[in-house]
Amino acid sequence: MKKKMLFDQWVLNEKFQFLFLSLFTATIFFAKLGLNGLANYDDCFYAEEAKEVIRTGNWVILHYNGGAAYNNAPLFMWLVALSFKVFGLSVYAAKFPSALMGFLTVFLVYFLGKTLFNPNHAFLAAFILATTYPFFKYARHAMLDVTLAFFVTLAMTALVLALRGNSKFFLLWGLAIGLAILTKSAFGVFPLLITFLFLSLVGRWKVFLDIYFWIGVFMAMFIGGAWVMSQYVIGGQDFINTHLKFIILGKISDDTPEAWYAHFGFIKDLFIFYWPWIPAAIYGLFRLIRGDLKDRETTVLLLLWSLTVLVVMSFMKIRFIWYLMQSLPALALVSAYGLYHWIDLPEHRVRLFNGIMVIGLAAIVFFNFLPYALDEDRESDTRVIAPYVKHFGDNGDKVIALREDFFGLNNALLFFSDHVAQPLYCNVADIQKEFASAQPVLCVAHREDLAEIQKTIPLWYPVKYAGDLILISNQKLDTSDVQTWGGLWQN
């Protein structure tokens, strides 16, 4: 009984909660991070852009396969490039910035929860965010969205601090929004929109007379505008066509008809991927809308932050769950609020915290010390053939592919081998023509095409079998010097 009472005291102790949260979050985001490769979409694409930042020395214009790439804002790729410089070129280094930003976002939510509510609410919100499936999944990807969520959360935290007495925090607010824009372009403008809506709805008109507020607005616009201007000056119409028309406007609409209920796709995704917290989120939103929280400003801020991106992006043509990433910290705070008031008896709250601690400590041991991978194996076949493509491609051998999509194959192949397969052919007869060359030619093909290859091409040599893929050549190649270990190929 005494031991149980002591444990109950520990789980409600703020310092113990913080220590537990640190260990648990570090495990969720960093344990075995370098294993099992990178996803072809979009991890390898971003990682390749970061790799080419280092190799070209050009930190202004991103590159992909040696050519200027205007698809993305550059900040995340800069962070990955710096990670490569620190850790070396590796899968771990490619994922590290996103994992770090996920870790830091959890503790920003913890700090914001303490500011808006209390330490126990803050602990619940931070734990909910760390265990929200889309959040910890994409924190372990080399993708932009968790980094965007960090800067948006930083901006909202700075806004709260600025409104609570120190308007100089508007400078941090503006900087964070500028960096959000520099992370994911137009998606980074949402905290600016949320802020203006919030100030208007709660009647904070005097803020619009605050010099620090407008300096913050200028900082956000200057950082984002400077990047846009640099791309336009150098890239001109290529930047407009690629980034503005294809990337941004392409998400808004196209000519493809869709059913009216498709616009509820985000709600469907939340009901699929936001378990076990979706009931708490619904109850928290219900209580906030009903006006149960007496702090109106906190109510309006959490509702706007939780719902603005969901509502706006629901009217767009492209709707992926990671587009909601910047809203998940707010939804974690709402869910914690709902859960805290759903379980209103103190002894039941203690049981909840006990359960969280027991499950969390078990997860820390399980994921750190047992041979269980947190990520599925990605692009394993491409990673197996990549050392051979690199070795012979570096020697000048031509690399082609059969029945492959360019980016579907080459995002991963380029990152892991420094070479792309090109041209891509649909017919084995075209491979036969390429293999008639006196120059060594490598072809990436599928095992299912082997029968047709054997029937059509009289002379070919296998270089490497790799799951569904096979790398073949028109010449017998010596593979004894191919390095297949270390660096990018260590797992």
Side-chain angles (χ1 to χ4, degrees), residues 303-321:
L303 288 175
L304 285 173
W305 186 7
S306 299
L307 301 176
T308 300
V309 177
L310 186 151
V311 171
V312 172
M313 293 307 299
S314 291
F315 289 97
M316 304 303 164
K317 194 69 176 181
I318 307 298
R319 294 176 290 273
F320 294 119
I321 185 65

Side-chain angles (χ1 to χ4, degrees), residues 9-81:
Q9 291 175 359
W10 278 356
V11 299
L12 297 178
N13 180 274
E14 186 176 342
K15 292 181 180 179
F16 184 77
Q17 288 177 351
F18 188 86
L19 176 62
F20 165 82
L21 198 61
S22 299
L23 293 174
F24 178 77
T25 307
T27 296
I28 287 291
F29 294 141
F30 294 107
K32 303 170 185 174
L33 187 64
L35 300 181
N36 292 340
L38 296 171
N40 185 70
Y41 295 107
D42 292 313
D43 302 36
C44 287
F45 184 85
Y46 298 142
E48 177 59 30
E49 288 188 323
K51 184 175 74 176
E52 296 196 28
V53 166
I54 296 175
R55 296 198 172 167
T56 63
N58 190 337
W59 293 73
V60 178
I61 301 298
L62 298 176
H63 288 76
Y64 178 88
N65 193 28
Y70 298 105
N71 303 65
N72 307 110
L75 180 56
F76 180 74
M77 274 58 79
W78 292 348
L79 295 175
V80 176

Side-chain angles (χ1 to χ4, degrees), residues 38-236:
L38 296 171
N40 185 70
Y41 295 107
D42 292 313
D43 302 36
C44 287
F45 184 85
Y46 298 142
E48 177 59 30
E49 288 188 323
K51 184 175 74 176
E52 296 196 28
V53 166
I54 296 175
R55 296 198 172 167
T56 63
N58 190 337
W59 293 73
V60 178
I61 301 298
L62 298 176
H63 288 76
Y64 178 88
N65 193 28
Y70 298 105
N71 303 65
N72 307 110
L75 180 56
F76 180 74
M77 274 58 79
W78 292 348
L79 295 175
V80 176
L82 292 173
S83 182
F84 286 154
K85 283 184 172 288
V86 173
F87 299 109
L89 188 62
S90 65
V91 168
Y92 179 87
K95 295 179 180 179
F96 178 80
S98 183
L100 177 62
M101 291 302 180
F103 181 85
L104 295 176
T105 305
V106 168
F107 285 94
L108 269 180
V109 166
Y110 178 80
F111 174 79
L112 190 54
K114 284 180 63 176
T115 303
L116 297 176
F117 297 100
N118 58 60
N120 286 332
H121 187 121
F123 172 77
L124 276 178
F127 182 79
I128 287 171
L129 181 62
T131 54
T132 295
Y133 176 72
F135 191 81
F136 77 75
K137 171 182 171 64
Y138 289 107
R140 298 178 62 89
H141 278 252
M143 289 179 64
L144 316 176
D145 304 273
V146 172
T147 300
L148 173 66
F150 168 77
F151 288 119
V152 171
T153 306
L154 181 61
M156 295 296 99
T157 303
L159 174 64
V160 170
L161 295 176
L163 294 176
R164 294 199 172 194
N166 189 347
S167 63
K168 290 183 180 179
F169 276 104
F170 280 125
L171 304 181
L172 178 60
W173 167 82
L175 175 64
I177 294 175
L179 295 176
I181 296 170
L182 209 56
T183 300
K184 200 164 183 181
S185 188
F187 277 90
V189 178
F190 274 107
L192 192 64
L193 172 63
I194 291 168
T195 298
F196 274 89
L197 287 173
F198 167 74
L199 294 174
S200 301
L201 288 173
V202 300
R204 283 275 198 158
W205 307 111
K206 289 184 179 180
V207 170
F208 295 116
L209 302 177
D210 192 312
I211 185 63
Y212 290 111
F213 174 76
W214 290 109
I215 293 175
V217 172
F218 173 78
M219 290 173 64
M221 294 297 96
F222 177 80
I223 293 171
W227 168 69
V228 171
M229 185 58 65
S230 70
Q231 305 303 288
Y232 179 71
V233 168
I234 297 172

